[in-house]
Amino acid sequence: MIKIKYADNYFKRLIGLMFKKDIDYGLLFILKYGSSVHTSFMRFVIDVYFLDENKVIVDKKTLKPWRYYKTDKKARYILETKENELNSEIGEKLDFL
């Protein structure tokens, strides 16, 4: 179980995890359109989980700093965590409020 912070406004979505030295939480994005992420200006490796409307993981990608990834799966949420923090796999359902 990890603490979740929501990227629930424009500024939080824009900045995301950029410039952070370390985190002890996951950052959740609720998507309105698009399913891509970048790790520009990031200082550590992250795991990115793409979840559908039922909160089931449909794609997962580990990204080093300065990378870009766009999933071909339909996602409603994106959860970013430190690498190996969550250890969940495609097909698992996550529970968050």
Side-chain angles (χ1 to χ4, degrees), residues 33-50:
Y33 40 79
S35 298
S36 64
V37 296
H38 71 83
T39 56
S40 301
F41 303 102
M42 293 187 61
R43 298 174 157 185
F44 52 91
V45 178
I46 62 171
D47 286 334
V48 182
Y49 298 89
F50 298 88

Side-chain angles (χ1 to χ4, degrees), residues 51-93:
L51 297 97
D52 68 12
E53 65 278 351
N54 297 313
K55 301 177 185 169
V56 174
I57 300 170
V58 296
D59 196 3
K60 176 186 174 185
K61 184 72 173 176
T62 300
L63 294 174
K64 294 178 182 179
W66 296 99
R67 300 295 191 266
Y68 172 82
Y69 182 73
K70 179 171 175 54
T71 185
D72 59 351
K73 309 293 185 201
K74 185 173 175 148
R76 174 75 172 117
Y77 306 96
I78 294 176
L79 177 63
E80 298 179 348
T81 67
K82 277 194 328 191
E83 182 181 28
N84 298 321
E85 183 76 20
L86 193 56
N87 294 321
S88 292
E89 297 299 327
I90 294 172
E92 289 183 45
K93 182 173 181 167

